[in-house]
Amino acid sequence: MALLHKGVEFETAPRPFTEIAGIAPQAGKTVPLLVDGDRTICDSWAIAEYLEETYPDRPSLFGGAGGWAAAKFIDSWANASVSALIVRLIVKDIHDILAPADQAYFRETRESRFGQTLEEVQHDREARVAEVAKALMPMNIMLRSQPFIGGTNPHYGDYSLFGTLQWARVSSPLTLLEADTPVAEWFERCLDLFDGAARKTPAASQG
């Protein structure tokens, strides 16, 4: 979404978990990875900062220092509060859509992280979905008065939270957003951005 916002031409190259470490060992072992000429940048926030600094003549992702600080807060909150909550609801679903080699890696690393089996982590998740709505309450309140986190137009804060929810959308059939809420409507608007680029990746609920 940040690349589309900047209007920078790019190609995507999906890779399985077990190949990530070999792409650019010096940059990191997680995705996303951005390769731009001889530069390789790991981590979504670092990539956003790189794009803003390297392509200052393109539309700003932050809209100035205040927007940068606000987006950093949203990014930190989305990772610590929203993503950390959602992963416990969909972790087994993620495992189930991976290739066999990746399934073994994913199960070993995630079960070590959680101290439980994937099945135990995800157990009784329907009773815990309401926790997502509670975590998103500040967003629901704010979005009653504006269409995007960035105001009338989206900025990186929108893309950060949207990326977390899009990850869940394409990985799991579990419905996380309550219908007809400001956040659900905002999510649909984000899916429609850039000629519906994000919507073109099918939801897991579509099969």
Side-chain angles (χ1 to χ4, degrees):
M1 299 295 278
L3 286 161
L4 289 167
H5 182 104
K6 277 291 190 183
V8 177
E9 293 186 8
F10 65 96
E11 296 179 4
T12 57
R15 291 291 186 271
F17 279 100
T18 47
E19 291 184 13
I20 294 172
I23 298 173
Q26 75 283 4
K29 298 181 180 180
T30 62
V31 290
L33 280 167
L34 176 70
V35 179
D36 188 17
D38 60 356
R39 292 289 305 278
T40 300
I41 304 94
C42 175
D43 178 73
S44 297
W45 180 259
I47 289 171
E49 289 189 309
Y50 171 81
L51 291 173
E52 190 77 347
E53 294 168 1
T54 307
Y55 301 97
D57 56 323
R58 304 298 181 94
S60 175
L61 286 167
F62 304 113
W68 181 93
K72 182 60 176 176
F73 172 79
I74 294 293
D75 186 70
S76 300
W77 167 70
N79 287 327
S81 297
V82 183
S83 180
L85 176 62
I86 289 175
V87 70
R88 290 182 170 273
L89 303 176
I90 67 170
V91 66
K92 179 61 166 54
D93 292 340
I94 298 172
H95 167 275
D96 291 347
I97 61 175
L98 299 176
D102 271 6
Q103 285 183 337
Y105 165 84
F106 188 84
R107 180 176 288 277
E108 178 183 355
T109 55
R110 272 52 178 183
E111 289 184 349
S112 175
R113 178 184 305 173
F114 291 118
Q116 293 177 295
T117 66
L118 302 183
E119 290 77 8
E120 290 171 334
V121 174
Q122 193 168 295
H123 176 69
D124 198 27
R125 65 180 179 176
E126 288 76 12
R128 294 183 280 125
V129 170
E131 296 175 9
V132 176
K134 291 180 181 178
L136 292 173
M137 183 56 68
M139 286 291 300
N140 271 310
I141 294 172
M142 187 196 71
L143 290 169
R144 291 171 186 167
S145 59
Q146 61 192 64
F148 294 102
I149 296 172
T152 55
N153 297 296
H155 71 12
Y156 188 75
D158 290 274
Y159 306 143
S160 179
L161 180 60
F162 172 74
T164 294
L165 297 173
Q166 172 76 337
W167 160 61
R169 171 182 172 267
V170 303
S171 301
S172 171
L174 182 68
T175 299
L176 295 176
L177 300 181
E178 297 178 348
D180 301 321
T181 60
V183 167
E185 293 168 357
W186 162 85
F187 186 70
E188 292 296 318
R189 286 193 290 274
C190 288
L191 285 172
D192 288 334
L193 291 170
F194 312 115
D195 297 322
R199 197 183 292 277
K200 292 173 184 177
T201 301
S205 60
Q206 295 177 316

